[in-house]
Amino acid sequence: MYELKTKENDNSVIEFIENVDNPKKREDAYKLLDIFTETTGFKAKMWGPSIIGFGSYHYKYESGHEGDAPLVGFSPRKAKISLYFAPGDPKRDELLKDFGKHTTGKACVYINKMADIDDEVLKELINQSVKFLQDTYPNT
């Protein structure tokens, strides 16, 4: 049976951010922490060793694979800051047009720094992702 590595845990979010080497990235992580907390209303929790997540939902795929994941989150990684939004949300691409400088993966949006993006669009992306996941997985 596949064991999910990224699980919610009781590690300190502040301690994790304090251990981010780059001072500018650490400052951006605190700014993201404020924006995600204010926008979602959820308390920040660590997911695995390096993802700061907000809220959670339980998913189950047709393959039978299931698990829990944060509704939204971020991780100040060495190369770029990863922002985690709902995979499969058709409205995400529309919002990203006005987001600023970024690249995308399946569920991630990558930014270099907060100065590159529009905070208001970030808040819309967070709200849209939470709504999409709560609509898609209503029993969470």
Side-chain angles (χ1 to χ4, degrees):
M1 185 71 174
Y2 174 77
E3 179 68 24
L4 201 61
K5 289 188 203 91
T6 308
K7 291 182 178 169
E8 185 178 325
N9 61 64
D10 290 326
N11 294 347
S12 168
V13 170
I14 300 302
E15 207 171 283
F16 171 71
I17 293 173
E18 282 299 315
N19 285 314
V20 171
D21 286 339
N22 181 318
K24 184 66 183 130
K25 200 161 275 182
R26 191 167 45 245
E27 184 183 314
D28 282 351
Y30 278 118
K31 187 172 181 185
L32 284 166
L33 180 63
D34 288 345
I35 290 171
F36 274 82
T37 301
E38 287 171 20
T39 305
T40 66
F42 292 112
K43 186 178 186 304
K45 299 287 284 185
M46 289 302 300
W47 285 75
S50 61
I51 295 174
I52 300 168
F54 300 82
S56 66
Y57 70 100
H58 186 80
Y59 61 86
K60 186 169 186 174
Y61 299 137
E62 287 179 15
S63 66
H65 175 75
E66 63 181 300
D68 296 302
L71 289 166
V72 289
F74 70 93
S75 183
R77 303 200 185 271
K78 262 195 173 58
K80 293 183 183 269
I81 298 170
S82 300
L83 306 173
Y84 299 95
F85 301 116
D89 182 358
K91 293 185 180 167
R92 184 180 89 163
D93 289 341
E94 191 61 38
L95 287 169
L96 285 173
K97 287 179 185 169
D98 299 318
F99 189 49
K101 189 176 170 187
H102 71 280
T103 56
T104 58
K106 186 172 182 175
C108 294
V109 174
Y110 304 100
I111 62 170
N112 289 319
K113 58 188 180 293
M114 288 295 292
D116 288 344
I117 63 165
D118 184 316
D119 291 3
E120 292 308 309
V121 177
L122 173 60
K123 291 173 189 175
E124 288 181 56
L125 281 160
I126 293 167
N127 283 327
Q128 176 56 35
S129 190
V130 169
K131 181 185 180 322
F132 175 79
L133 288 169
Q134 288 176 333
D135 289 349
T136 305
Y137 303 96
N139 297 327
T140 47

